[in-house]
């Protein structure tokens, strides 16, 4: 069965610092992988997705993620974090009718 | 496009009362999902529909929960009778089926339910 693990429950970074959020997945075939962001009181918004092709995918708000099949990982990165990036981030695997979400990583940004 | 619209945004009710949550998916989307989010369990898929037909309701916690989709533009999630442990944020999401857009879910802003 497919599953997603986000090892970090909470991460704090300083504004302007780089960010990497970890995601590991278990999936029987070539996975569809996603990162969503949830701001307080809001629904989830898609940041980026990987279906096939180039393993480095670019998303909105300056985020990128790299698919590494050998490590079963799909880590999210941003070179310079802004205070507005403070939110909860969810990694997900699967297709729309069988989507599994990780537990989420809460990002706090220090001034 | 207005996005996925959910109502009410907040609901406070007493144990035993019936609760109905409503969702209008994005026009043209053929999949509709109901999720529940809590601190303890995270995001849980309750049920999803394809072309208005319920496909998988294995995530519905109990018979107290029911969901309908009478047409392509409207769905309800009903809890009767409600219990305090049902307190959560309930999200509706829609998606455009298979193909290149597979898996991109569009979420509503959620309905926060508090059962006293």
């Amino acid at each position: 069965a497919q599953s997603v693990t986000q090892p970090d429950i909470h991460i704090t970074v300083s504004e302007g610092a780089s960010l990497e959020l970890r995601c590991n997945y278990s999936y029987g075939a070539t996975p569809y992988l996603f990162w969503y962001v949830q701001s307080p009181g809001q629904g989830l918004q898609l940041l980026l997705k990987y279906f096939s092709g180039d393993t480095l995918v670019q998303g909105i708000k300056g985020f990128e993620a790299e698919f590494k099949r050998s490590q079963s990982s799909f880590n999210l990165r941003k070179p310079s974090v802004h205070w507005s990036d403070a939110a909860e981030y969810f990694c997900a695997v699967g297709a729309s009718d069988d989507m599994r979400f990780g537990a989420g990583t809460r990002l706090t940004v220090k001034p | 496009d207005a996005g996925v619209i959910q109502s009410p945004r907040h609901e406070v009710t007493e144990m035993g009362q019936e609760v109905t949550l409503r969702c209008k998916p994005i026009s043209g989307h053929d999949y509709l999902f109901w999720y529940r989010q809590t601190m303890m369990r995270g995001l849980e898929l309750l049920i999803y529909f394809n072309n208005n037909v319920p496909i998988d309701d294995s995530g519905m916690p109990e018979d107290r929960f029911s969901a309908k989709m009478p047409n392509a533009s409207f769905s309800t999630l009903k809890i009767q009778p409600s219990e305090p442990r049902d307190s959560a944020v309930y999200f509706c999401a829609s998606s455009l089926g298979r193909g290149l857009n597979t898996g991109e879910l569009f979420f509503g802003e959620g309905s926060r339910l508090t059962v006293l």
Side-chain angles (χ1 to χ4, degrees):
Chain A
Q2 57 198 33
S3 65
V4 179
T5 301
Q6 293 181 248
D8 305 307
I9 295 174
H10 186 205
I11 283 183
T12 300
V13 300
S14 297
E15 190 168 16
S18 64
L19 170 71
E20 183 168 25
L21 302 182
R22 295 182 292 165
C23 172
N24 295 97
Y25 67 89
S26 172
Y27 196 75
T30 301
Y32 298 155
L33 295 159
F34 309 83
W35 276 99
Y36 285 83
V37 61
Q38 184 181 28
S39 298
Q42 301 295 314
L44 279 70
Q45 179 187 19
L46 182 69
L47 280 177
L48 48 78
K49 60 189 176 187
Y50 171 79
F51 287 166
S52 64
D54 193 345
T55 56
L56 184 64
V57 293
Q58 303 296 320
I60 62 172
K61 306 184 181 185
F63 285 92
E64 66 178 26
E66 187 170 12
F67 169 57
K68 292 185 177 180
R69 185 187 298 276
S70 61
Q71 299 178 17
S72 297
S73 69
F74 189 58
N75 294 349
L76 182 71
R77 301 193 294 248
K78 186 169 184 177
S80 177
V81 170
H82 188 263
W83 64 266
S84 61
D85 293 325
E88 184 129 19
Y89 291 81
F90 293 90
C91 182
V93 63
S96 59
D97 55 353
D98 193 15
M99 181 81 75
R100 304 300 170 97
F101 286 87
T105 297
R106 181 169 298 280
L107 175 65
T108 297
V109 181
K110 293 190 302 184
Chain B
D1 198 319
V4 176
I5 300 172
Q6 292 187 245
S7 65
R9 290 294 312 277
H10 302 274
E11 173 103 5
V12 180
T13 189
E14 293 188 346
M15 182 173 64
Q17 296 298 306
E18 177 178 296
V19 173
T20 298
L21 307 178
R22 297 172 178 80
C23 175
K24 176 178 167 52
I26 292 173
S27 177
H29 282 191
D30 53 353
Y31 281 84
L32 183 140
F33 305 81
W34 282 100
Y35 284 87
R36 178 171 67 176
Q37 186 179 40
T38 61
M39 290 291 293
M40 292 296 294
R41 296 173 180 254
L43 267 168
E44 303 174 275
L45 177 63
L46 301 178
I47 184 171
Y48 78 90
F49 296 81
N50 178 217
N51 292 322
N52 314 337
V53 176
I55 303 301
D56 184 355
D57 66 353
S58 59
M60 297 285 261
E62 300 172 33
D63 291 346
R64 298 184 296 106
F65 286 69
S66 62
K68 294 182 180 180
M69 192 167 185
N71 57 63
S73 59
F74 184 65
S75 177
T76 59
L77 177 68
K78 186 175 295 186
I79 309 172
Q80 166 64 21
S82 59
E83 297 183 2
R85 58 192 168 126
D86 302 330
S87 297
V89 181
Y90 291 82
F91 286 103
C92 177
S94 69
S95 145
L96 188 60
R98 295 200 171 272
L100 288 178
N101 289 316
T102 296
E104 182 171 355
L105 301 178
F106 293 81
F107 283 80
E109 293 186 320
S111 294
R112 180 175 294 277
L113 173 65
T114 302
V115 183
L116 303 174

